[in-house]
Amino acid sequence: MATQVISRPTKRPKKSLSARWADTWFQMKKNKSAYFFMAPFTIIFFTFTVLPVLAGIFLSFTYFNVLQPPRWIGWSNYSLLFLEDDVFLKAVRNTMVYAVVTGPVSFFLQLFLAWLINSLRYRVGFTLAFYAPSVTSGLAMGMIWRVFFATDMYGYLNYALIRLGVIYEPIAWLEDVDTMMPIVIIVSLWMSMSVGFLTFLAALQNMDPELYEAGKVDGVRTRFQEFWYITLPCMKPQLLFGSIMAVVRSFEVSSVATALTGLPSPMYATHTIVSHMQDYAFIRFEMGYASAISVVLFVTMFGLSRILFRLLRS
Amino acid sequence: MAKVIETIKMKTVDAPWFLIYRRKSENIFVRLLMYTMLINIAYIFLYPVFYMISTSMMTIDDFVDPAVYWIPRTVNWANFTMSLEAMRYWYSLGNSTYIALLSAVGQLVSCAMAGYGFGRIKFPGREFLFMLVIFTFIVPPQTIIVPLFILYKNLGWIDTYNPFVVPSFFAHGLRGSLFILIFRQFFRRQPWELEDAARVDGCGALRTFATIFLPLAKPALLVVFLFSVVWHWNDFYEPTMYLMKPDKYTVPLRLSILSTSLQEVMGGSNEFYNEPLVMAACFLVVLPPLLLYIFAQRHFTESVERTGLVD
């Protein structure tokens, strides 16, 4: 959108290594103020991210229960994790379901609602309504949803359904293995109208009206055509950002799942990789095993971030 | 562009009358349909909030009585007074405010700096550092919680607010990388002549940043500040990790131990713990960020639209 001229470097003559170093050094000196701006981020990144990551990798090869010093046990945490831990496999499956379902669905929901309310007069009011749930505390809302889905007669949903005659006896929504997962997904979708939604709305608001005029002249007749041929191509960066946000947030589903169904959830029905790690680290105090889980998660995310970096750099 | 228009031309078909697009004089029927749908969706989104507000004012008799629907027979303020007391609300409100405001200010300053560096200065190593930012953006904080917890324990930071505040002042903290991204995109869109003008006037990089770019960034600053305050307020995961003493608890943490602390306040009996009371407590937790958002709503939406968040 921004008509910023990017001058592509023409083929440079090859320089010797020392010349290139000298060049880099010159650039560094010329832009030395940049390092001042970067310093806070970089310093703390190395102390509070790199150091913990390295420590985590080390701990994943040990048995460590906080009270005794860690004992080196080699690869056995990993072999246990991949070969014998059925719950972990279930957690991986659940995490993938969340990522595949809540990610895309929340993305399209955000885009759709942003597009719908974009041209309305009461846009601000609707924005408030859709955005409000994500401003609220997840814990408090989890408690409200728990009352809503409560098992007994007074649980709102049970009560309503019984009165309508759909069911005859209350359903244990949050203890039943079949209903737990969909409920967690619905609640996290409900809370997902967040940064991505606002980004889409901002992008739609900043669209150049002349483009629509031009499109009309050129034969755009329906709203849908306008959306497909003009709006979407212009929104590419925002769409990319929104999709990244959706994927990142789908890994936060575990906190919704914990708020609704408790930490080891019944039959591990809503267990995710993150909650598996949480379970081993802070309930069973097997820090070594928990570190192995987080290393696996970490490696996955590292791969994901490399892909996203390629996409975002442009 | 020409190509796009060509494709549009090719794909144009005769659409049925109700789909034909008219911007100004939109079909009243379509409009009505759209508004009905949107109001329904908005109702779904706001329903739990309304439900919470309505239930929080009921007595337990009203709550159980099927005849009482939405509007309680008598407004039962006791729910609020009791949960205020059980949560030690004003005290933990102070704790929460302290964390949220201090961290937000820290992130505001440090993320703006980092965003400026990424957005305006081309220096060797920028690509690499930017990759690190993306990396911290994507990796969930839970992955490094075990070693981080041990590190903070060795630093003696457990039961203090340092784990929230200190990283915030160094462009990290809760979603710090997202804020860096927002600032980077914002600064990148400003005209490039600004620096030249500053250099002619003899400003160094820091002066340029502080006197020219920071005042320009007001909308971005507002958006980041609101996001940061609200997210820190609602954060539950990290406080449960690092705060053990109830004295240090934030408001959401207080909510999580509501049942036991109510028993203490009421002298061991748990007869007052019921759904309306829980709803009142939830309402008290949700209220401050909601109020902040409602009051700032206009400026917030405007700023989001002006900054465009990402570009």
Side-chain angles (χ1 to χ4, degrees), chain A residues 31 35 44 123 135 159 221, chain B residues 21 66 122 124 172 234 305:
Chain A
N31 295 309
Y35 298 99
I44 220 85
R123 175 170 46 87
V135 178
Y159 173 72
R221 294 197 72 200
Chain B
Y21 170 66
K122 204 163 172 356
H172 279 259
N234 288 336
E305 279 162 16

Side-chain angles (χ1 to χ4, degrees), chain A residues 33 37, chain B residues 116 195 198-199 201-212:
Chain A
S33 56
F37 288 114
Chain B
Y116 178 76
E195 262 112 348
R199 206 172 304 132
D201 288 347
C203 278
L206 191 63
R207 275 262 307 276
T208 316
F209 170 68
T211 57
I212 297 178

Side-chain angles (χ1 to χ4, degrees), chain A residues 1-2 4 24 27-28 31 33-38 40-42 44-45 47-49 52-53 55-56 59 64 112-113 116-117 120-124 126-133 135-137 139-141 143-145 147-148 154 156 159 163 190 193-195 198-199 202 205-206 211-212 216 218-223 225-226 229 237-238 241 244-245 248-249 252 274 277-278 281-282 287 291 294 297-298 301-302 305-306 308-309 312-313, chain B residues 1 4-5 8-9 11-15 19-21 23 26 34-35 37-39 41-42 44-49 51-52 63-64 66 69 113-114 116-118 121-124 127 129-140 142-148 150-152 157 167 170-172 175 178 180 192 205-206 209 227 230-231 234 236-237 241 252 255-256 275 278-279 282 285-286 289-290 293-294 297 300 304-305 308-311:
Chain A
M1 266 188 285
Q4 188 185 317
T24 311
Q27 286 290 328
M28 282 171 86
N31 295 309
S33 56
Y35 298 99
F36 167 74
F37 288 114
M38 288 296 116
F41 173 80
T42 319
I44 220 85
F45 182 83
T47 43
F48 287 154
T49 306
V53 166
L59 282 178
F64 183 41
F112 177 66
L113 286 182
L116 265 190
I117 67 173
L120 297 182
R121 195 180 311 151
Y122 303 105
R123 175 170 46 87
V124 175
F126 282 117
T127 315
L128 178 68
F130 297 146
Y131 186 64
V135 178
T136 58
S137 150
L139 179 79
M141 283 300 145
M143 283 183 147
I144 294 160
W145 284 104
V147 174
F148 185 83
Y154 302 116
Y156 192 87
Y159 173 72
R163 218 161 83 148
W190 175 76
M193 288 296 176
S194 175
V195 184
L198 294 176
T199 314
Q205 286 292 310
N206 288 328
L211 279 179
Y212 293 128
K216 234 169 165 179
D218 285 311
V220 168
R221 294 197 72 200
T222 68
R223 236 164 190 287
Q225 278 180 339
E226 184 186 85
Y229 292 111
Q238 285 86 0
F241 176 77
I244 293 170
M245 274 312 278
V248 170
R249 285 191 81 96
E252 289 169 15
V274 170
M277 191 211 70
Q278 205 68 18
F282 298 104
M287 297 293 190
S291 299
S294 54
L297 189 61
F298 183 79
M301 296 313 264
F302 187 71
S305 76
R306 298 231 20 150
L308 292 177
F309 176 63
L312 258 188
R313 192 166 47 176
Chain B
M1 197 63 224
V4 174
I5 293 168
I8 296 166
K9 263 185 194 158
K11 294 279 170 109
T12 308
V13 285
D14 281 318
L19 274 179
I20 290 181
Y21 170 66
R23 184 164 277 272
E26 199 136 25
M34 219 156 89
Y35 270 106
M37 193 167 78
L38 275 172
I39 287 169
I41 300 173
I44 294 172
F45 271 87
L46 287 178
Y47 175 82
V49 180
Y51 179 74
M52 169 184 76
F63 180 70
V64 193
Y69 195 69
M113 272 172 67
Y116 178 76
F118 280 122
I121 309 174
K122 204 163 172 356
F123 58 95
E127 302 270 282
L129 284 178
F130 190 59
M131 205 176 83
L132 298 186
V133 173
I134 301 288
F135 180 67
T136 44
F137 175 54
I138 290 165
V139 173
Q142 283 95 334
T143 48
I144 52 168
I145 197 76
V146 174
L148 209 54
I150 297 167
L151 179 69
Y152 287 149
W157 282 10
F170 290 86
H172 279 259
R175 303 218 178 104
L178 173 64
I180 295 180
W192 291 88
L206 191 63
F209 170 68
F227 275 149
V230 168
W231 284 337
N234 288 336
F236 180 64
Y237 180 72
M241 290 286 113
L255 180 64
S256 67
E275 272 87 359
V278 174
M279 290 295 131
C282 288
V285 175
V286 169
L290 215 55
Y293 177 59
I294 290 170
Q297 152 78 21
F300 180 69
V304 166
E305 279 162 16
L309 284 188
V310 288
D311 190 13

Side-chain angles (χ1 to χ4, degrees), chain B residues 21-270:
Chain B
Y21 170 66
R22 270 165 279 167
R23 184 164 277 272
K24 279 279 174 288
S25 58
E26 199 136 25
N27 196 319
I28 189 112
F29 176 70
V30 175
R31 260 193 126 124
L32 210 66
L33 200 77
M34 219 156 89
Y35 270 106
T36 328
M37 193 167 78
L38 275 172
I39 287 169
N40 274 317
I41 300 173
Y43 177 72
I44 294 172
F45 271 87
L46 287 178
Y47 175 82
V49 180
F50 290 148
Y51 179 74
M52 169 184 76
I53 295 170
S54 138
T55 314
S56 68
M57 294 177 191
M58 290 182 184
T59 58
I60 186 69
D61 296 329
D62 279 353
F63 180 70
V64 193
D65 191 345
V68 178
Y69 195 69
W70 284 118
I71 299 153
R73 263 181 288 215
T74 50
V75 176
N76 184 18
W77 295 110
N79 288 333
F80 286 101
T81 52
M82 239 187 293
S83 44
L84 276 178
E85 201 182 336
M87 289 202 291
R88 291 181 68 199
Y89 186 71
W90 300 113
Y91 182 77
S92 42
L93 188 82
N95 289 347
S96 276
T97 316
Y98 178 82
I99 292 182
L101 282 187
L102 210 60
S103 313
V105 169
Q107 285 188 324
L108 218 55
V109 177
S110 56
C111 294
M113 272 172 67
Y116 178 76
F118 280 122
R120 303 297 290 194
I121 309 174
K122 204 163 172 356
F123 58 95
R126 186 172 76 166
E127 302 270 282
F128 174 70
L129 284 178
F130 190 59
M131 205 176 83
L132 298 186
V133 173
I134 301 288
F135 180 67
T136 44
F137 175 54
I138 290 165
V139 173
Q142 283 95 334
T143 48
I144 52 168
I145 197 76
V146 174
L148 209 54
F149 179 79
I150 297 167
L151 179 69
Y152 287 149
K153 211 178 161 82
N154 289 333
L155 287 172
W157 282 10
I158 301 298
D159 276 330
T160 67
Y161 297 140
N162 289 349
F164 315 102
V165 175
V166 173
S168 299
F169 272 90
F170 290 86
H172 279 259
L174 201 60
R175 303 218 178 104
S177 37
L178 173 64
F179 301 143
I180 295 180
L181 271 179
I182 291 176
F183 277 119
R184 170 182 177 259
Q185 306 290 12
F186 181 82
F187 285 129
R188 249 160 55 131
R189 287 199 307 168
Q190 306 309 316
W192 291 88
E193 290 81 29
L194 283 171
E195 262 112 348
D196 298 336
R199 206 172 304 132
V200 169
D201 288 347
C203 278
L206 191 63
R207 275 262 307 276
T208 316
F209 170 68
T211 57
I212 297 178
F213 282 96
L214 263 194
L216 262 181
K218 258 182 215 142
L221 288 169
L222 180 79
V223 170
V224 167
F225 182 74
L226 282 179
F227 275 149
S228 180
V229 166
V230 168
W231 284 337
H232 274 103
W233 181 279
N234 288 336
D235 189 23
F236 180 64
Y237 180 72
E238 289 185 317
T240 34
M241 290 286 113
Y242 304 135
L243 302 176
M244 312 280 169
K245 278 194 205 131
D247 269 359
K248 298 282 181 183
Y249 271 18
T250 61
V251 178
L253 280 180
R254 279 280 169 192
L255 180 64
S256 67
I257 56 159
L258 180 68
S259 166
T260 43
S261 48
L262 190 71
Q263 265 184 42
E264 273 166 33
V265 171
M266 293 296 149
S269 84
N270 212 1

